[in-house]
């Protein structure tokens, strides 16, 4: 259906699989994509040349396997909400564990940095979706870590634009390095907010 809809729209289709945990998961996605293409071809229907295929990185196993996964697909999108709960083993639906839900925790940031490194080695872009992508302090750290794209709700865009417009790439690099070396989310957030205050 995606292949056919893309043909009718005259567009290159984009698909992304969520909750990928293993190389086998990614292989299954690619097999299903190619099987569907073969069915459309067998029916004699014209098809777009390709389907841009990506993976949502939101479980630790996928982050750890990022170098291998990146060689299989066209892009990554990091889901920081789920990644945070799985890295810190804290159900985000449990209010008593809310203190563990800050994606600026260095453990989460180091995981994101590893995903970005795996993507860079394979030459694919990395996006981030989730609350952190709409958080001005979080955005400074993410861009400093090398994230290429941010996906946030429209209401947060002005704050994100203002935050990024007021800083340099060098400042973001220093912030990112300090964030990776920190030991808790509070320290990271304080440093990012200080940069926002001095450059705002």
């Amino acid at each position: 259906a995606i292949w056919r809809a893309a043909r009718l729209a005259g567009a290159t289709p984009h698909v992304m699989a969520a909750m990928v945990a293993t190389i086998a998961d990614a292989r299954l996605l690619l097999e299903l994509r190619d099987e569907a293409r073969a069915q459309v071809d067998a029916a004699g229907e014209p098809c777009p040349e390709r389907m841009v295929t990506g993976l949502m990185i939101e479980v630790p196993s996928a982050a750890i396997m990022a170098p291998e996964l990146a060689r299989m697909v066209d892009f990554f999108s990091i889901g920081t909400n789920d990644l945070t709960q799985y890295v810190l083993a804290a159900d985000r639906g449990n209010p008593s564990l809310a203190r563990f839900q800050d994606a600026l925790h260095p453990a989460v940031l180091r995981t994101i940095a590893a995903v970005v490194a795996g993507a860079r080695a394979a030459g694919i872009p990395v996006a981030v979706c989730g609350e952190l992508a709409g958080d001005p302090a979080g955005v400074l750290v993410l861009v400093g870590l090398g994230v290429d794209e941010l996906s946030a709700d429209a209401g947060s865009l002005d704050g994100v634009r203002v935050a990024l417009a007021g800083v340099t790439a060098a400042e973001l690099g220093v912030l990112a390095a300090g964030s990776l070396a920190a030991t808790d989310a509070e320290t990271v957030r304080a440093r990012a907010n200080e940069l926002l205050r001095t450059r705002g």
Side-chain angles (χ1 to χ4, degrees):
I2 294 172
W3 283 114
R4 288 180 172 126
R7 172 180 58 81
L8 292 172
T12 299
H14 290 60
V15 297
M16 179 173 64
M19 285 295 164
V20 170
T22 66
I23 298 294
D25 289 343
R27 285 187 182 130
L28 177 60
L29 170 66
L30 301 180
E31 287 167 6
L32 293 172
R33 177 199 66 189
D34 296 344
E35 179 184 316
R37 171 63 186 259
Q39 291 174 3
V40 175
D41 287 343
E45 301 176 38
C47 233
E49 280 189 25
R50 63 191 293 259
M51 182 179 290
V52 179
T53 307
L55 302 177
M56 180 74 80
I57 307 297
E58 51 196 335
V59 299
S61 60
I64 292 167
M65 300 300 290
E68 291 82 4
L69 290 169
R71 292 195 292 269
M72 302 172 69
V73 295
D74 300 303
F75 68 93
F76 282 160
S77 182
I78 301 173
T80 55
N81 294 351
D82 278 319
L83 186 63
T84 300
Q85 77 165 339
Y86 294 130
V87 167
L88 297 176
D91 180 3
R92 62 180 171 143
N94 186 337
S96 68
L97 300 176
R99 67 188 184 281
F100 295 109
Q101 297 308 315
D102 193 336
L104 286 180
H105 191 286
V108 179
L109 297 179
R110 292 178 192 182
T111 305
I112 292 171
V115 173
V116 170
R120 284 286 170 275
I124 67 168
V126 180
V128 167
C129 66
E131 293 177 14
L132 195 62
D135 174 359
V139 162
L140 296 185
V141 179
L142 290 173
V143 175
L145 290 174
V147 167
D148 300 295
E149 299 176 17
L150 303 166
S151 177
D153 65 85
S156 66
L157 294 182
D158 286 343
V160 167
R161 286 192 191 103
V162 169
L164 290 174
V167 294
T168 66
E171 288 171 330
L172 295 183
V174 171
L175 175 64
S179 299
L180 294 176
T183 57
D184 56 68
E186 292 78 12
T187 299
V188 175
R189 191 164 288 282
R191 289 175 177 170
N193 283 328
E194 179 62 21
L195 183 57
L196 284 173
R197 281 192 295 272
T198 58
R199 295 292 182 270

